[in-house]
Amino acid sequence: QMCEKFTVCPNSMEMLLQNNLNLPKVTEEDGDFLTFLSFQDKCLRKISSGLYTFQTYLKYVKETFTSENQNVESLFYSTEHLARTIRHMVINPEEVIIPDAATQESLYTKLKSTKAWTEKITIHLILRDFTSFMEKTVRAVRYLKNTRSFSV
């Protein structure tokens, strides 16, 4: 939809802008999915923390990408629910890093200061990285569901 509405596509010259958003990622050092068993708790903490961090980015998308406000709002609340659910699966839930209000406000202010012509790129990068993060989250949860006795 971003590509069609705003002509923001991966091969667009505008996509060459530096991505300095520092979006959450699940990396190999968080435990790859073949040796995931020994990294389950660490990976769940990372996923939950990442989902909590994405909340600020999704708030920005929701308030900026107004033509899709209802869809993004649903995504926002679903992400918040998933972050809480996964946090409860962690052995020590208090180890999950949840950005404090000041950190969230600082990041949100930085995002809102984005110039109008880079707004579309910023939204695209957030949604692209969120999609990648969620793909890895789904794989991790499926793996856990098949190797641990819990219900998701």
Side-chain angles (χ1 to χ4, degrees), residues 44-63:
L44 289 173
R45 279 194 315 269
K46 177 77 172 206
I47 288 169
S48 185
S49 296
L51 291 169
Y52 279 113
T53 300
F54 263 113
Q55 288 298 106
T56 305
Y57 292 101
L58 292 175
K59 177 183 175 187
Y60 168 77
V61 172
K62 181 177 75 162
E63 294 181 7

Side-chain angles (χ1 to χ4, degrees), residues 86-102:
I86 292 177
R87 182 173 183 243
H88 290 299
M89 294 166 55
V90 174
I91 294 169
N92 293 314
E94 54 281 343
E95 291 180 359
V96 171
I97 299 168
I98 302 172
D100 60 38

Side-chain angles (χ1 to χ4, degrees), residues 5 23 27 66 80 97 102 117 134-135 145 150 152:
K5 289 184 182 191
L23 294 158
T27 62
T66 54
E80 181 180 39
I97 299 168
W117 60 276
M134 288 306 299
E135 287 169 352
K145 189 174 181 183
F150 72 87
V152 176

Side-chain angles (χ1 to χ4, degrees), residues 14-79:
E14 292 178 77
M15 292 305 294
L16 297 176
L17 289 174
Q18 182 180 8
N19 176 0
N20 60 356
L21 295 174
N22 197 27
L23 294 158
K25 295 185 182 349
V26 176
T27 62
E28 285 185 28
E29 63 192 35
D30 299 314
D32 66 29
F33 297 107
L34 297 175
T35 60
F36 189 72
L37 197 56
S38 61
F39 293 101
Q40 287 180 6
D41 201 60
K42 179 181 178 185
C43 190
L44 289 173
R45 279 194 315 269
K46 177 77 172 206
I47 288 169
S48 185
S49 296
L51 291 169
Y52 279 113
T53 300
F54 263 113
Q55 288 298 106
T56 305
Y57 292 101
L58 292 175
K59 177 183 175 187
Y60 168 77
V61 172
K62 181 177 75 162
E63 294 181 7
T64 308
F65 193 25
T66 54
S67 65
E68 295 296 325
N69 189 292
Q70 196 169 15
N71 290 333
V72 180
E73 188 166 346
S74 175
L75 181 65
F76 178 85
Y77 290 113
S78 297
T79 301

